[in-house]
Amino acid sequence: MAHDTILLTNKVCCNFGGLKALSDLDLEIIENSIHSLIGPNGAGKTTAFNVISQNIKPTSGEIWFRGARIDGVKPHQVAEIGMSRTYQNIRLFANVTAIENILVGMHLHLRSTWWGSIFNTPATRADEKRAHDEALRLLEFVDLKGRGDIIARNLPYGDQRRLEIARALAAQPKLLLLDEPTAGMNPHEISDMMDFIRKVRDEVGVTILLIEHQMRIVMALSDKVTVLDHGQKIAEGLPKEVQGNPAVIEAYLGSGKLVPKKARDAARATLNA
Ligand SMILES: Nc1ncnc2c1ncn2[C@@H]1O[C@H](COP(=O)(O)OP(=O)(O)OP(=O)(O)O)[C@@H](O)[C@H]1O
Ligand SMILES: [Mg+2]
């Protein structure tokens, strides 16, 4: 494993009954890069996130993160060594405040012991103060300054997406997995999110693995792109290289089927958008 590789998967498979959701996936994520995972619906992108974060145990293969083999370990152990993720459908604690959501994400890094929290020792109070200050700093970083006391579900959609990222960042990850962070956003929110993703990489120094459907965003943000189709890697390279790849265009059209010219043009337009 080269010194600048943060995550490596080696022939990772994930079967659901007879369905091969991932077949022999080899991925190499370079530290401090923005690496995009793309492909049509059902290609296996979210499954790749699930096996990398150990939310699902891979059927076979190896996964290495920061020099340690992690396939088969518990998701919280993966989090402890520096991996955080967000979900395709927002998973916030909807009925608690924005700041409490961030504090939950931070709990891994609080030093306090359980008896400290029971007896409310000075050390615990100091930790709580530090955590609260850090949560406020994160809120400001994700442009939610002053909105910490709002119940999560009452925040606008774009704010909820950024809050979820703030919660993921609260665990101080080295690698952040973002599953369609711009889904359902308007063009203005999308452009803000793109700037924000760059800021997370450039200012916090977090490596980013991104699932994204809109090619415009993939082209603008990615250092490298991996394309999945039916659980298999069908292309990989610089954004420009994969965009023009005939196999990628075929995948977006639905492989093996006779496709009307109109649909073919629509798929090309998606890739060129
Ligand atoms: N927990 C599961 N149990 C059974 N089948 C699953 C499970 N998770 C995913 N699948 C199936 O695995 C395949 C890949 O799904 P996955 O969610 O990884 O696709 P995706 O690339 O993220 O698609 P989308 O772009 O629609 O989010 C699909 O056929 C899906 O139905
Ligand atoms: Mg998905």
Side-chain angles (χ1 to χ4, degrees):
M1 188 157 162
H3 72 281
D4 59 350
T5 301
I6 189 164
L7 181 95
L8 193 74
T9 73
N10 182 16
K11 293 198 181 314
V12 167
C13 297
C14 182
N15 302 341
F16 296 115
L19 175 78
K20 293 186 170 174
L22 282 180
S23 302
D24 288 335
L25 180 65
D26 292 334
L27 262 188
E28 184 180 15
I29 313 296
I30 303 299
E31 206 157 350
N32 225 35
S33 66
I34 298 178
H35 190 132
S36 293
L37 199 53
I38 70 168
N41 294 122
K45 305 179 296 295
T46 297
T47 303
F49 270 25
N50 285 337
V51 298
I52 288 169
S53 61
Q54 297 303 311
N55 290 91
I56 292 178
K57 200 170 173 297
T59 309
S60 60
E62 295 177 4
I63 303 174
W64 295 80
F65 176 53
R66 302 184 76 198
R69 188 160 169 193
I70 57 163
D71 47 283
V73 314
K74 297 268 184 295
H76 74 87
Q77 292 172 309
V78 179
E80 276 164 14
I81 58 169
M83 193 190 300
S84 285
R85 68 172 294 185
T86 63
Y87 293 85
Q88 191 162 348
N89 303 308
I90 298 177
R91 288 194 194 175
L92 286 167
F93 297 105
N95 295 320
V96 305
T97 64
I99 201 145
E100 284 163 345
N101 268 279
I102 296 182
L103 287 167
V104 170
M106 214 177 273
H107 80 276
L108 280 174
H109 289 270
L110 292 181
R111 274 185 316 117
S112 295
T113 51
W114 60 269
W115 60 86
S117 6
I118 290 171
F119 297 115
N120 197 15
T121 61
T124 309
R125 282 196 298 273
D127 274 354
E128 280 173 359
K129 168 89 173 69
R130 242 195 317 275
H132 199 263
D133 290 349
E134 173 65 11
L136 285 177
R137 204 184 60 78
L138 270 167
L139 266 184
E140 189 168 348
F141 182 72
V142 300
D143 232 359
L144 290 174
K145 192 177 176 187
R147 271 169 274 181
D149 292 333
I150 298 178
I151 301 289
R153 73 176 137 71
N154 292 334
L155 286 167
Y157 183 75
D159 288 358
Q160 290 192 27
R161 280 265 172 214
R162 286 200 313 284
L163 176 59
E164 200 190 16
I165 297 177
R167 188 180 60 183
L169 288 175
Q172 300 182 3
K174 297 282 183 233
L175 175 67
L176 179 61
L177 314 183
L178 299 175
D179 196 344
E180 300 194 30
T182 66
M185 285 189 168
N186 66 41
H188 182 76
E189 288 172 324
I190 288 177
S191 137
D192 283 352
M193 180 54 81
M194 286 168 70
D195 291 343
F196 176 67
I197 291 171
R198 277 200 202 92
K199 192 165 92 164
V200 170
R201 193 266 302 269
D202 297 342
E203 292 178 20
V204 193
V206 176
T207 307
I208 291 171
L209 182 57
L210 172 71
I211 295 178
E212 180 52 62
H213 274 290
Q214 297 189 58
M215 215 47 195
R216 182 176 69 84
I217 302 171
V218 172
M219 295 297 291
L221 285 181
S222 321
D223 297 302
K224 190 173 169 186
V225 181
T226 300
V227 190
L228 291 183
D229 185 32
H230 295 298
Q232 297 195 328
K233 180 157 88 178
I234 58 161
E236 190 168 65
L238 300 172
K240 274 267 169 266
E241 293 167 348
V242 300
Q243 190 184 29
N245 185 318
V248 177
I249 295 167
E250 273 314 308
Y252 275 88
L253 288 169
S255 55
K257 291 191 203 101
L258 265 183
V259 179
K261 183 170 180 311
K262 225 169 135 182
R264 185 172 295 268
D265 289 345
R268 273 185 212 285
T270 307
L271 288 168
N272 288 318

